[in-house]
Amino acid sequence: MANVLDVKSLNVEFNVNGTYFHAVRDVSFYIRPGETLGLVGESGCGKSVTSLAIVRLLARSARISGQVMYDDKDLLTFPQDAMREVRGNEISMIFQEPMTSLNPVYKIGAQIAEVILLHKDVSRREAFNQSLEMLQKVGIPRPKEILEEYPHQLSGGMRQRIMIAIAMACNPRLLIADEPTTALDVTIQAQILELMKEVSESFGTSTLLITHDLGVVAETCERVAVMYAGQIVEEGTVEEIFFEPQHPYTRGLLNAIPKIDATSKQRLQPIDGTVPSLTKMPTGCHFAPRCPFATQQCVDEAPSLFTVHDRHTSRCWLNESEGVRTVE
C-alpha cells in the first residue's frame, strides 16, 4: 500500500542578515495509511518548521527544496490556490496554542462551519449541523451552547478539543499535530491524546505527532523520528528507539526521563549544552559539542545516515562498523 506522505530530502533555509542558513537539512521520512509517526526533539530542533513546510505555511522569504509527496504529487510544486484546497480538507493541522489559533471575535460554531463550507458543497445550515456532530464526537459537553460561545469562554482543554474538531471536520487523510498537549495539565493531556487516537482510528487518519515528550510517543506512536539541529538523527519503531537506541542524542533524551523504578539516590542525566544556533552550526556532527562519545572525526566530518537494522537508521559514526551507509 502506498504511503500517505513521503518527505524526501526536505531543506528549509531562512535569510539572516542577507545570508541563508539551514533550519531543516535533508529531512526524509514517510507515513503509512493509518499510522502515527512521532517527530521528537528539543525546542529549536526544526520540528515545527518541518511541519509548516509540508503544508506550505512558511513565510515567502523561506527557501524550501526537496519533495513532499502526497498522492504521488509534490506539494511543493502546487500553486497557492491548489494548496488551499488540500489544507484543512485532505491534510489538517493542530497547532501548539489553541488560543492564538482560534479567532477571538468569531463564535465556535462559525469557525468550524467555515472549514466545512470552504471544502464541502453544503448549505450553511448543514455546515452547522455537521459542526454540532463534530463537537459531540470530540466529547464537548453542552455542544449546542458551545457553538454560540467564544474561545475566551472555554478552558484550555476545551479549546484544544475545538481545534481537533476543526481539524477533523472534513475527514482528512493526514493530521499534523504540533505539540497538541502543550500547557495542559497531565489529566487533560491524557484525555486529548486518547481523543486524538479515537478520532484518528474512527476516520482512518494518518498522523504526524510533533512533540518533545517521549512518554506521549510511547503511548501513541508506531514509529519515531528523532530530530536534532534540523536533521533526522535516528528513526525506527517505538520498540527500537526505546529499547535499542543507537544515537547518543536519543540515549540522552531517554536518560533524562524520570523512571518509576529509580531509587532515591539515582539522579536524572541532563544533556549538557543547548541546541546550536542556525548561524553557528558545527561543521561536523551537529551533536558533537554535546556528545560524550565525540571523536575528532565527529568534529571534522558530518556523519552519514547508517541503516542499523531493517529500517532502523542512525546518523552517527559509532554505527559505521555495524551499519550500512544509507544513500541520501
Side-chain angles (χ1 to χ4, degrees), residues 88-315:
N89 185 22
E90 298 179 55
I91 301 177
S92 289
M93 190 162 180
I94 302 173
F95 296 94
Q96 288 189 33
E97 178 46 61
M99 196 58 200
T100 57
S101 302
L102 294 169
N103 193 318
V105 299
Y106 284 93
K107 293 179 180 179
I108 297 300
Q111 298 193 52
I112 304 176
E114 180 183 23
V115 178
I116 298 170
L117 289 168
L118 182 63
H119 295 293
K120 292 184 177 182
D121 185 19
V122 296
S123 66
R124 185 167 294 274
R125 176 179 292 276
E126 179 59 26
F128 272 88
N129 288 338
Q130 291 184 24
S131 300
L132 179 62
E133 291 177 12
M134 283 308 305
L135 291 187
Q136 293 170 336
K137 286 180 180 178
V138 298
I140 293 287
R142 305 182 297 108
K144 288 185 178 180
E145 290 84 347
I146 295 297
L147 284 176
E148 298 298 319
E149 293 185 355
Y150 293 91
H152 73 270
Q153 296 176 277
L154 307 178
S155 66
M158 291 276 276
R159 288 194 293 265
Q160 198 61 285
R161 287 173 184 266
I162 298 298
M163 289 298 299
I164 295 173
I166 293 174
M168 304 303 293
C170 294
N171 302 353
R173 291 184 61 203
L174 175 64
L175 175 66
I176 300 175
D178 188 359
E179 302 277 8
T181 58
T182 296
L184 299 177
D185 64 59
V186 176
T187 304
I188 302 301
Q189 280 187 31
Q191 293 176 1
I192 293 298
L193 290 171
E194 185 61 29
L195 172 61
M196 286 180 55
K197 186 176 181 180
E198 290 175 0
V199 172
S200 294
E201 289 176 353
S202 174
F203 288 98
T205 304
S206 302
T207 304
L208 174 61
L209 177 62
I210 298 169
T211 182
H212 61 267
D213 190 334
L214 287 170
V216 169
V217 169
E219 189 72 25
T220 59
C221 300
E222 285 84 43
R223 290 188 302 112
V224 187
V226 181
M227 197 168 194
Y228 183 79
Q231 293 182 311
I232 300 292
V233 296
E234 186 167 4
E235 183 178 353
T237 65
V238 168
E239 290 78 13
E240 289 169 337
I241 295 299
F242 276 80
F243 297 108
E244 298 178 17
Q246 298 296 315
H247 198 280
Y249 179 61
T250 308
R251 295 173 191 166
L253 292 177
L254 291 169
N255 288 336
I257 300 174
K259 297 175 176 60
I260 196 168
D261 59 349
T263 66
S264 59
K265 294 183 179 180
Q266 287 180 302
R267 298 175 62 88
L268 295 180
Q269 301 175 34
I271 303 174
D272 294 333
T274 58
V275 179
S277 165
L278 286 184
T279 59
K280 296 180 180 179
M281 200 64 68
T283 55
C285 173
H286 293 173
F287 188 60
R290 306 174 68 187
C291 181
F293 308 105
T295 65
Q296 192 59 44
Q297 182 184 25
C298 302
V299 174
D300 296 336
E301 188 178 353
S304 301
L305 197 63
F306 297 100
T307 299
V308 181
H309 177 263
D310 193 17
R311 294 192 176 184
H312 186 183
T313 58
S314 174
R315 190 182 299 276

Side-chain angles (χ1 to χ4, degrees), residues 5 54 56 68 70 73-78 83 86 91:
L5 185 73
I54 290 171
R56 304 269 304 281
V68 178
Y70 173 78
K73 298 175 183 176
D74 187 0
L75 295 181
L76 298 185
T77 66
F78 277 32
M83 199 61 213
V86 174
I91 301 177

